[in-house]
Each structure stands twice: as C-alpha cells, then as structure tokens.
Amino acid sequence: MSQSGIVVKELRTYYGEIKAVDGISFEVQEGSIFGMLGPNGAGKTTTIETIVGLTERKSGQISVFGYDPVDEIDEIKKIVGVQLQSPSLFPRLTVKETIELFASFYPEPKEVSEVIEKLGLEKKANTRVSDLSGGQRHRLAVGLAMVSNGKALFFDEPTTGLDPQARRQLWDVILSLKKEGKTIFLTTHYMDEAEKLCDELLIIDHGKIIASGSPASLIKESFQKTAVEFLDPDFSEEEKRELLELNLAERVNYETGKNRIILYTNEVSDTIKGLIDFASSKGKKLKDVMVRNPTLEDVFIKLTGRGIRE
Ligand SMILES: Nc1ncnc2c1ncn2[C@@H]1O[C@H](COP(=O)(O)OP(=O)(O)O)[C@@H](O)[C@H]1O
Ligand SMILES: [Mg+2]
C-alpha cells in the first residue's frame, strides 16, 4: 500500500486580512505526483511556502514524511527540494556554480552534471545567472530543486513562461523524477500539464478547495456530456439569452476574453442542428465549430463560472 508522504490538515495561512490559504486538507501519497491547480492569487505559492517552512501558518497541521515545518525545519530542509517562482539567485555565479552551491546544502545531492544535462543547460553551464534568459533562469530554478535529491520535491508553476518544447522537456524531467520514487508536489495553471502529470489533483480558488480527485475522475464526475464549442458569431446579449432558452444543452458558457461559446450536451446531433437553425434565423454564420470531450478547463469553468486564465 502506498503511504502518505505529505499530510496537510485544515491549513490556514493569512497575510493580515488576506486569507491566502483558508482551511485546506489533503494527502500526497509517497512516490506520486500531486498537483494544485488554480488561477493567479488562488493560494498555490503560499501553500508550498507554508509546507516547506518559508511562511508560518496561522493554524492547521502539516507533516512532511513525519516532520513539522515549524518545529523540525532542519529535518525538513534535508529531505525537501523546492523550486520557487522567483528564487533569489546570485547574478554573478554561473549556472554550474549556482547548482554546486545548492548541492552543498544537502546531505546526498544529485550529480551537478546530471542536473545540467537533464535540464538541457549544458551550453549555459558557464554562463552567469545575470546573462540567462527568463526561460533558462526558470529551468535553473527547477534544477535547484532537483539537485537536492530530496524525497519530496516542490515545483511552483515549473513551466510557466516556457515555450511548448521546453515545457514538454520539463514534463519528461518531472516524470523521470517520479520514476526515481520522488514524491512530487506541483502547482500549475495549465490544464494540459495537470492532466498529463498529476496522479491526484486539487482545484483551488480563493484559498479553498473546490474539487479534488484524479484528473480523469474530475472530468468524469463533472461531465457525462460532450462539448460543442464555436466562435461567438457576435450574438447580442438578447440572442444569447434566446439560445439558452432553446434548451439545446444543459449548460452554455460564454467565455469572456476568448469569444467562444460552449454548449454541453448529451444529444450532439440535435444540438448542432438546433444551433445551425438558430444562427441562420438570426442571419449569422457559425465558424470554427468543434465537437470534443470535456477537459479540466471545462471542469474549472463549471465550478467557478470563469476560465482559469482570466
Ligand atoms: N507576502 C504577501 N503579503 C501579502 N499578501 C500576499 C503575500 N503573498 C501572497 N499574498 C496574497 O495571498 C493570496 C494568494 O497568493 P499566492 O499564494 O501567491 O497565490 P498563487 O500562487 O495561487 O498565485 C493573493 O491574494 C496574494 O495577493
Ligand atoms: Mg504563485
């Protein structure tokens, strides 16, 4: 049976009046990848900082392989590797020197050369931190978590701002760390990343859990339906109301910002036919119509009434 590597109960971390983390509980099984998904300001970074002892909690319980980050911070430091969103780095050190420095903090670090190679930073090994691009600096930050060789690794939005190829490369790195038996906690606001990497997932918003489970079960529980998605052909507010009243689908999402309308339905042909008739009765043409399975993004919209990147 798998064991809990990280246990968090009723955790609250406030900054004055701001309830950044507001009563969340979860368990991360040893050797699994656990993800926290939520929009900006949801409380993801604060959760990580509290678990690893960088920020003090207001209340609740935390155990990282049996250790408490307040009372046993020295023990936690030995077994935890952390990648922060904006780490403090020494600008004049090179990539290699930076990783070597961090390696020296840990009892059994990984080989520095292995970390550099896995992150594809070979050509930058002797480049000063101040001369790195944003993406390279980001990969270096991931390397600082890796080199710890800790049992528990924390990645705070590891792929934000990376190009698609670098993102996929980093996914492979994280999956290979899982193969080594690491217990991994990551935050993200990318749905595809959460689906691809995470065994278990929490969706959080405003410091509270709004859903939890495996990515597949979250999608399945929320949606037995098919999504019919199309570009908004400039329907007026009145027309959108009419569309809703036609009962073509159980739910209609008007995604702000994206200009797309999504209908969730069990009767795909009826919905499409009804939609075409409706649009032509209004003298409007449908464009870019997609019929697809629901994704985590749909789950998020359903739970919060808005898209994750708004
Ligand atoms: N050091 C801080 N002082 C005051 N408020 C903070 C601080 N760090 C974060 N916050 C606030 O706490 C909330 C959660 O922030 P954060 O944990 O950074 O969210 P996320 O990582 O999901 O974007 C936000 O409202 C943010 O403005
Ligand atoms: Mg954050």
Short mmCIF file of all heavy atoms in Angstrom, two decimals, residues 177-216:
data_model
loop_
_atom_site.label_atom_id
_atom_site.label_comp_id
_atom_site.label_asym_id
_atom_site.label_seq_id
_atom_site.Cartn_x
_atom_site.Cartn_y
_atom_site.Cartn_z
N LEU A 177 11.61 11.98 -12.46
CA LEU A 177 11.82 12.08 -11.01
C LEU A 177 10.82 11.20 -10.27
O LEU A 177 11.14 10.59 -9.25
CB LEU A 177 11.69 13.54 -10.56
CG LEU A 177 12.81 14.46 -11.04
CD1 LEU A 177 12.44 15.93 -10.82
CD2 LEU A 177 14.12 14.13 -10.34
N LYS A 178 9.61 11.13 -10.81
CA LYS A 178 8.62 10.22 -10.20
C LYS A 178 9.10 8.78 -10.32
O LYS A 178 9.00 8.01 -9.36
CB LYS A 178 7.27 10.40 -10.90
CG LYS A 178 6.22 9.42 -10.39
CD LYS A 178 4.92 9.56 -11.13
CE LYS A 178 4.07 8.32 -10.93
NZ LYS A 178 2.74 8.46 -11.53
N LYS A 179 9.64 8.43 -11.48
CA LYS A 179 10.17 7.06 -11.67
C LYS A 179 11.25 6.73 -10.65
O LYS A 179 11.39 5.58 -10.23
CB LYS A 179 10.76 6.91 -13.09
CG LYS A 179 9.72 6.58 -14.13
CD LYS A 179 10.32 5.69 -15.22
CE LYS A 179 9.35 5.51 -16.38
NZ LYS A 179 9.61 6.48 -17.47
N GLU A 180 12.01 7.75 -10.27
CA GLU A 180 13.05 7.53 -9.25
C GLU A 180 12.45 7.35 -7.86
O GLU A 180 13.17 7.09 -6.90
CB GLU A 180 13.99 8.74 -9.18
CG GLU A 180 14.91 8.89 -10.35
CD GLU A 180 15.74 10.18 -10.25
OE1 GLU A 180 15.94 10.69 -9.12
OE2 GLU A 180 16.15 10.68 -11.30
N GLY A 181 11.13 7.56 -7.74
CA GLY A 181 10.47 7.36 -6.45
C GLY A 181 10.23 8.63 -5.66
O GLY A 181 9.80 8.58 -4.50
N LYS A 182 10.52 9.79 -6.28
CA LYS A 182 10.30 11.06 -5.57
C LYS A 182 8.80 11.31 -5.35
O LYS A 182 7.97 10.90 -6.17
CB LYS A 182 10.87 12.24 -6.36
CG LYS A 182 12.34 12.12 -6.71
CD LYS A 182 13.21 12.08 -5.47
CE LYS A 182 14.68 12.03 -5.84
NZ LYS A 182 15.49 11.61 -4.69
N THR A 183 8.51 12.01 -4.29
CA THR A 183 7.15 12.48 -4.03
C THR A 183 7.10 13.92 -4.50
O THR A 183 7.89 14.75 -4.05
CB THR A 183 6.84 12.39 -2.52
OG1 THR A 183 7.01 11.03 -2.12
CG2 THR A 183 5.43 12.86 -2.21
N ILE A 184 6.19 14.20 -5.43
CA ILE A 184 6.25 15.49 -6.10
C ILE A 184 4.96 16.29 -5.91
O ILE A 184 3.85 15.77 -6.08
CB ILE A 184 6.53 15.28 -7.61
CG1 ILE A 184 7.92 14.65 -7.77
CG2 ILE A 184 6.44 16.61 -8.37
CD1 ILE A 184 8.19 14.09 -9.14
N PHE A 185 5.15 17.54 -5.51
CA PHE A 185 4.02 18.45 -5.35
C PHE A 185 4.24 19.57 -6.35
O PHE A 185 5.28 20.23 -6.34
CB PHE A 185 4.02 19.00 -3.93
CG PHE A 185 2.86 19.91 -3.61
CD1 PHE A 185 1.84 19.48 -2.77
CD2 PHE A 185 2.79 21.19 -4.13
CE1 PHE A 185 0.78 20.31 -2.46
CE2 PHE A 185 1.72 22.03 -3.83
CZ PHE A 185 0.71 21.59 -2.99
N LEU A 186 3.29 19.79 -7.25
CA LEU A 186 3.48 20.90 -8.18
C LEU A 186 2.23 21.74 -8.29
O LEU A 186 1.12 21.27 -8.05
CB LEU A 186 3.95 20.41 -9.55
CG LEU A 186 3.06 19.56 -10.43
CD1 LEU A 186 2.13 20.42 -11.28
CD2 LEU A 186 3.93 18.74 -11.38
N THR A 187 2.45 23.00 -8.61
CA THR A 187 1.31 23.88 -8.87
C THR A 187 1.35 24.25 -10.35
O THR A 187 2.40 24.24 -10.98
CB THR A 187 1.38 25.18 -8.06
OG1 THR A 187 2.41 26.00 -8.63
CG2 THR A 187 1.67 24.93 -6.60
N THR A 188 0.20 24.56 -10.87
CA THR A 188 0.15 24.93 -12.28
C THR A 188 -1.15 25.68 -12.54
O THR A 188 -2.10 25.57 -11.77
CB THR A 188 0.23 23.68 -13.19
OG1 THR A 188 0.28 24.09 -14.56
CG2 THR A 188 -0.94 22.74 -12.98
N HIS A 189 -1.15 26.48 -13.61
CA HIS A 189 -2.47 26.91 -14.08
C HIS A 189 -2.71 26.41 -15.50
O HIS A 189 -3.60 26.87 -16.17
CB HIS A 189 -2.70 28.41 -13.90
CG HIS A 189 -1.76 29.28 -14.65
ND1 HIS A 189 -0.92 30.15 -14.02
CD2 HIS A 189 -1.52 29.42 -15.96
CE1 HIS A 189 -0.20 30.78 -14.92
NE2 HIS A 189 -0.55 30.35 -16.11
N TYR A 190 -1.88 25.43 -15.90
CA TYR A 190 -2.12 24.80 -17.20
C TYR A 190 -2.88 23.50 -17.02
O TYR A 190 -2.42 22.59 -16.35
CB TYR A 190 -0.80 24.48 -17.90
CG TYR A 190 0.02 25.68 -18.28
CD1 TYR A 190 1.27 25.87 -17.74
CD2 TYR A 190 -0.46 26.59 -19.21
CE1 TYR A 190 2.05 26.96 -18.10
CE2 TYR A 190 0.31 27.68 -19.58
CZ TYR A 190 1.57 27.87 -19.02
OH TYR A 190 2.32 28.94 -19.38
N MET A 191 -4.04 23.43 -17.66
CA MET A 191 -4.86 22.23 -17.56
C MET A 191 -4.18 21.01 -18.17
O MET A 191 -4.24 19.91 -17.64
CB MET A 191 -6.17 22.43 -18.32
CG MET A 191 -6.93 23.63 -17.89
SD MET A 191 -7.63 23.30 -16.27
CE MET A 191 -8.22 24.93 -15.91
N ASP A 192 -3.53 21.22 -19.33
CA ASP A 192 -2.91 20.07 -20.02
C ASP A 192 -1.77 19.50 -19.17
O ASP A 192 -1.57 18.29 -19.09
CB ASP A 192 -2.44 20.43 -21.43
CG ASP A 192 -1.49 21.62 -21.46
OD1 ASP A 192 -1.41 22.34 -20.45
OD2 ASP A 192 -0.84 21.82 -22.50
N GLU A 193 -1.08 20.40 -18.49
CA GLU A 193 0.01 19.97 -17.61
C GLU A 193 -0.53 19.12 -16.45
O GLU A 193 0.01 18.07 -16.13
CB GLU A 193 0.70 21.22 -17.07
CG GLU A 193 1.89 20.96 -16.22
CD GLU A 193 2.77 22.21 -16.15
OE1 GLU A 193 3.23 22.65 -17.23
OE2 GLU A 193 2.94 22.75 -15.06
N ALA A 194 -1.61 19.61 -15.86
CA ALA A 194 -2.22 18.88 -14.74
C ALA A 194 -2.69 17.50 -15.21
O ALA A 194 -2.47 16.49 -14.54
CB ALA A 194 -3.39 19.67 -14.18
N GLU A 195 -3.31 17.45 -16.40
CA GLU A 195 -3.82 16.17 -16.90
C GLU A 195 -2.69 15.20 -17.20
O GLU A 195 -2.80 14.01 -16.96
CB GLU A 195 -4.66 16.40 -18.17
CG GLU A 195 -6.06 16.83 -17.85
CD GLU A 195 -6.95 16.88 -19.09
OE1 GLU A 195 -7.25 15.83 -19.66
OE2 GLU A 195 -7.32 17.99 -19.48
N LYS A 196 -1.61 15.75 -17.75
CA LYS A 196 -0.50 14.89 -18.19
C LYS A 196 0.31 14.36 -17.00
O LYS A 196 0.73 13.21 -16.99
CB LYS A 196 0.39 15.72 -19.12
CG LYS A 196 1.74 15.16 -19.43
CD LYS A 196 1.73 14.36 -20.70
CE LYS A 196 3.10 13.72 -20.90
NZ LYS A 196 3.18 12.75 -21.91
N LEU A 197 0.52 15.20 -15.98
CA LEU A 197 1.48 14.84 -14.94
C LEU A 197 0.88 14.28 -13.66
O LEU A 197 1.49 13.43 -13.03
CB LEU A 197 2.32 16.07 -14.56
CG LEU A 197 3.23 16.67 -15.62
CD1 LEU A 197 4.00 17.85 -15.01
CD2 LEU A 197 4.21 15.65 -16.17
N CYS A 198 -0.29 14.75 -13.29
CA CYS A 198 -0.72 14.54 -11.90
C CYS A 198 -1.52 13.26 -11.70
O CYS A 198 -2.43 12.96 -12.46
CB CYS A 198 -1.54 15.73 -11.42
SG CYS A 198 -0.59 17.24 -11.47
N ASP A 199 -1.18 12.53 -10.63
CA ASP A 199 -1.98 11.39 -10.23
C ASP A 199 -3.23 11.88 -9.51
O ASP A 199 -4.32 11.38 -9.71
CB ASP A 199 -1.18 10.49 -9.29
CG ASP A 199 0.09 9.98 -9.96
OD1 ASP A 199 -0.04 9.36 -11.02
OD2 ASP A 199 1.19 10.23 -9.44
N GLU A 200 -3.03 12.85 -8.65
CA GLU A 200 -4.15 13.44 -7.90
C GLU A 200 -4.06 14.94 -8.03
O GLU A 200 -2.96 15.51 -8.15
CB GLU A 200 -4.05 13.09 -6.41
CG GLU A 200 -4.34 11.65 -6.08
CD GLU A 200 -5.82 11.31 -6.22
OE1 GLU A 200 -6.65 12.11 -5.74
OE2 GLU A 200 -6.13 10.25 -6.79
N LEU A 201 -5.21 15.57 -7.95
CA LEU A 201 -5.26 16.99 -8.22
C LEU A 201 -6.22 17.68 -7.26
O LEU A 201 -7.26 17.13 -6.92
CB LEU A 201 -5.82 17.12 -9.64
CG LEU A 201 -5.64 18.40 -10.41
CD1 LEU A 201 -4.17 18.72 -10.57
CD2 LEU A 201 -6.28 18.24 -11.78
N LEU A 202 -5.81 18.88 -6.82
CA LEU A 202 -6.74 19.75 -6.09
C LEU A 202 -7.00 20.93 -6.99
O LEU A 202 -6.06 21.50 -7.54
CB LEU A 202 -6.09 20.32 -4.84
CG LEU A 202 -5.93 19.54 -3.58
CD1 LEU A 202 -5.42 20.50 -2.49
CD2 LEU A 202 -7.22 18.90 -3.16
N ILE A 203 -8.24 21.33 -7.10
CA ILE A 203 -8.52 22.60 -7.78
C ILE A 203 -8.82 23.59 -6.67
O ILE A 203 -9.69 23.33 -5.83
CB ILE A 203 -9.70 22.47 -8.76
CG1 ILE A 203 -9.38 21.41 -9.82
CG2 ILE A 203 -9.98 23.82 -9.43
CD1 ILE A 203 -10.44 21.22 -10.87
N ILE A 204 -8.08 24.69 -6.62
CA ILE A 204 -8.32 25.66 -5.57
C ILE A 204 -8.62 27.04 -6.14
O ILE A 204 -8.22 27.38 -7.25
CB ILE A 204 -7.17 25.76 -4.53
CG1 ILE A 204 -5.92 26.38 -5.12
CG2 ILE A 204 -6.87 24.43 -3.90
CD1 ILE A 204 -4.98 26.88 -4.02
N ASP A 205 -9.35 27.79 -5.36
CA ASP A 205 -9.71 29.15 -5.74
C ASP A 205 -9.93 29.91 -4.44
O ASP A 205 -10.54 29.39 -3.51
CB ASP A 205 -11.00 29.10 -6.57
CG ASP A 205 -11.20 30.38 -7.37
OD1 ASP A 205 -10.22 31.14 -7.55
OD2 ASP A 205 -12.34 30.62 -7.83
N HIS A 206 -9.41 31.12 -4.35
CA HIS A 206 -9.55 31.93 -3.14
C HIS A 206 -9.19 31.17 -1.87
O HIS A 206 -9.90 31.25 -0.86
CB HIS A 206 -10.98 32.47 -3.03
CG HIS A 206 -11.42 33.27 -4.22
ND1 HIS A 206 -10.77 34.40 -4.64
CD2 HIS A 206 -12.42 33.06 -5.11
CE1 HIS A 206 -11.34 34.87 -5.71
NE2 HIS A 206 -12.35 34.08 -6.04
N GLY A 207 -8.11 30.39 -1.94
CA GLY A 207 -7.61 29.72 -0.74
C GLY A 207 -8.40 28.52 -0.28
O GLY A 207 -8.12 27.94 0.77
N LYS A 208 -9.41 28.13 -1.07
CA LYS A 208 -10.23 26.98 -0.67
C LYS A 208 -10.24 25.92 -1.77
O LYS A 208 -10.10 26.24 -2.96
CB LYS A 208 -11.67 27.42 -0.43
CG LYS A 208 -11.89 28.30 0.79
CD LYS A 208 -13.39 28.45 0.97
CE LYS A 208 -13.85 29.45 1.99
NZ LYS A 208 -13.20 29.61 3.23
N ILE A 209 -10.43 24.66 -1.34
CA ILE A 209 -10.52 23.56 -2.30
C ILE A 209 -11.91 23.58 -2.93
O ILE A 209 -12.92 23.60 -2.21
CB ILE A 209 -10.29 22.20 -1.60
CG1 ILE A 209 -8.87 22.14 -1.06
CG2 ILE A 209 -10.57 21.05 -2.57
CD1 ILE A 209 -8.60 20.93 -0.18
N ILE A 210 -11.96 23.55 -4.25
CA ILE A 210 -13.30 23.47 -4.86
C ILE A 210 -13.54 22.11 -5.51
O ILE A 210 -14.68 21.76 -5.78
CB ILE A 210 -13.57 24.63 -5.85
CG1 ILE A 210 -12.49 24.73 -6.91
CG2 ILE A 210 -13.69 25.95 -5.11
CD1 ILE A 210 -12.80 25.79 -7.95
N ALA A 211 -12.50 21.33 -5.72
CA ALA A 211 -12.69 19.97 -6.20
C ALA A 211 -11.39 19.21 -6.02
O ALA A 211 -10.32 19.80 -5.96
CB ALA A 211 -13.08 19.96 -7.67
N SER A 212 -11.49 17.87 -5.94
CA SER A 212 -10.27 17.07 -5.84
C SER A 212 -10.51 15.69 -6.43
O SER A 212 -11.64 15.22 -6.52
CB SER A 212 -9.83 16.95 -4.38
OG SER A 212 -10.82 16.26 -3.65
N GLY A 213 -9.43 15.04 -6.84
CA GLY A 213 -9.52 13.70 -7.41
C GLY A 213 -8.49 13.54 -8.50
O GLY A 213 -7.68 14.44 -8.73
N SER A 214 -8.51 12.40 -9.18
CA SER A 214 -7.60 12.24 -10.31
C SER A 214 -8.15 13.10 -11.45
O SER A 214 -9.35 13.37 -11.50
CB SER A 214 -7.53 10.79 -10.75
OG SER A 214 -8.77 10.41 -11.32
N PRO A 215 -7.27 13.54 -12.38
CA PRO A 215 -7.78 14.36 -13.49
C PRO A 215 -8.94 13.68 -14.22
O PRO A 215 -9.96 14.31 -14.50
CB PRO A 215 -6.56 14.52 -14.40
CG PRO A 215 -5.39 14.43 -13.47
CD PRO A 215 -5.80 13.44 -12.42
N ALA A 216 -8.78 12.37 -14.48
CA ALA A 216 -9.84 11.66 -15.22
C ALA A 216 -11.14 11.64 -14.43
O ALA A 216 -12.22 11.85 -14.98
CB ALA A 216 -9.39 10.24 -15.55
#
